[in-house]
Amino acid sequence: MPRTMAALTAALLTLLTVAGCAATAPARGGGDGPLRVVTAFYPLEYLARRIGGPAVTVTELTKPGAEPHDIELNPRQVGDIVDAGLVVYLKGFQPAVDQAVEQEAADRAFDVGTVVDLLPLDAHDPHLPGDEHAEAYGGLDPHVWLDPVRYAQIAAHLGERLAHADPAHATDYTARAAALGTDLDRLHADYAGRLQTCARREIVTSHTAFNYLARRYRLTEIGITGVTPEAEPAPRRLAEVAQQARDTGATTIFFETLVSPKVAQTIADEIGARTAVLDPLEGQPAGDGDYFTVMRANLASLTQALGCTR
């Protein structure tokens, strides 16, 4: 079959599949059935489930164990977006999701980046070379959920958006959003208290994902790579980070759950430090874990690595 004909056939099959998904899916929410909510990646899914409760069904576009930065959507996932009563995403973080939302659900989408202040990527470690993916993110750091204060702001606004999409359950959405906000306030207080007095205030990470957390609690992040975790650091960058780690007295080099620890281990071996997990919460936590269990595990890792006394 000629290449052009094959491409046209594939495109037609994709369109038919999406149309079939939309035609057979339940109504978009409200009325007799639950509100269908589609979320782009785990932290947004967690918010939707906590705030939506039994009044919603939630579909996450990023599969468990997958790195969310560069996901591609299959026809069924596009069909989920077509049929959703509300799509919750972060514009600029996942281009494939941005495109599908713009084409299929612009009038039913909630971009969480519109309700909080996002940090510019140039606010990171000044020694870090420019990240080749920075332009794709619009020059803004997407990892906003690692700041409990900003995450609570998103939660409150999501409660309002759910109430608007499904007025019959508005009171329940508002109440659950408020309860989640209280839990996040408590988490913020725990971080602020335990990280107040520490021997060191620099964290060395394999992936520059923790700038929101670092700025909130007066820490400094030294990232081996930029915002894209799969990026391979140049030998010069490895040498720079190793020297910075020595200069700051770092005892721990952090790596994350979805990326190989090899680079972090290389620097740790060179300076005689240990390695430990600092989870950026980009993917579904293992087992029965959730946002709060991971954030509290991160806090325990930070207090040990930084020599905090409270």
Side-chain angles (χ1 to χ4, degrees):
M1 180 182 293
R3 183 176 301 176
T4 302
M5 183 62 70
L8 289 173
T9 301
L12 178 59
L13 288 174
T14 298
L15 289 172
L16 289 173
T17 303
V18 171
C21 291
T24 59
R28 287 180 174 170
D32 297 331
L35 179 69
R36 291 175 56 87
V37 179
V38 171
T39 59
F41 55 96
Y42 173 72
L44 304 185
E45 183 214 22
Y46 181 76
L47 290 184
R49 291 191 186 279
R50 276 287 305 265
I51 299 170
V56 304
T57 60
V58 181
T59 300
E60 181 187 350
L61 296 174
T62 303
K63 298 177 181 179
E67 167 55 51
H69 288 253
D70 299 313
I71 69 165
E72 298 294 336
L73 301 181
N74 60 43
R76 183 172 296 278
Q77 290 173 309
V78 176
D80 288 334
I81 291 173
V82 169
D83 194 63
L86 182 66
V87 180
V88 187
Y89 76 119
L90 176 57
K91 187 175 182 179
F93 185 44
Q94 298 166 296
V97 176
D98 293 352
Q99 182 178 4
V101 167
E102 181 180 354
Q103 293 176 352
E104 307 293 351
D107 60 334
R108 292 168 284 109
F110 172 37
D111 171 13
V112 301
T114 63
V115 298
V116 290
D117 293 329
L118 298 178
L119 294 174
L121 286 171
D122 61 10
H124 289 310
D125 173 16
H127 297 86
L128 187 63
D131 193 302
E132 61 180 306
H133 295 272
E135 185 176 349
Y137 298 126
L140 299 173
D141 187 341
H143 302 90
V144 62
W145 57 90
L146 292 170
D147 175 0
V149 176
R150 284 180 169 89
Y151 196 55
Q153 294 171 352
I154 293 172
H157 283 280
L158 178 56
E160 295 173 0
R161 290 299 300 265
L162 288 169
H164 177 75
D166 182 16
H169 298 96
T171 300
D172 294 333
Y173 295 137
T174 301
R176 283 191 287 265
L180 177 54
T182 298
D183 291 343
L184 288 167
D185 289 344
R186 188 177 300 113
L187 179 67
H188 165 57
D190 289 345
Y191 263 81
R194 293 184 63 185
L195 296 177
Q196 182 175 355
T197 306
C198 303
R200 295 168 293 280
R201 305 207 71 81
E202 297 82 16
I203 55 174
V204 183
T205 63
S206 60
H207 163 209
T208 309
F210 297 90
N211 196 39
Y212 286 97
L213 186 151
R215 287 195 158 219
R216 177 64 63 187
Y217 303 110
R218 298 184 299 108
L219 305 176
T220 299
E221 181 180 23
I222 300 171
I224 300 173
T225 65
V227 292
T228 303
E230 299 92 345
E232 287 291 335
R236 178 179 177 180
R237 179 58 185 167
L238 291 175
E240 290 173 346
V241 173
Q243 188 59 54
Q244 288 178 275
R246 289 192 192 94
D247 293 344
T248 59
T251 62
T252 304
I253 309 299
F254 288 109
F255 65 94
E256 61 186 75
T257 51
L258 296 178
V259 179
S260 169
K262 182 174 65 175
V263 172
Q265 189 66 59
T266 297
I267 292 178
D269 290 343
E270 182 174 341
I271 70 171
R274 60 188 285 270
T275 60
V277 170
L278 199 62
D279 193 334
L281 266 164
E282 293 180 347
Q284 182 83 33
D288 296 329
D290 64 15
Y291 175 86
F292 283 94
T293 60
V294 171
M295 286 294 285
R296 292 195 182 283
N298 282 347
L299 178 56
S301 295
L302 287 169
T303 55
Q304 179 180 3
L306 299 178
C308 304
T309 58
R310 292 185 60 179

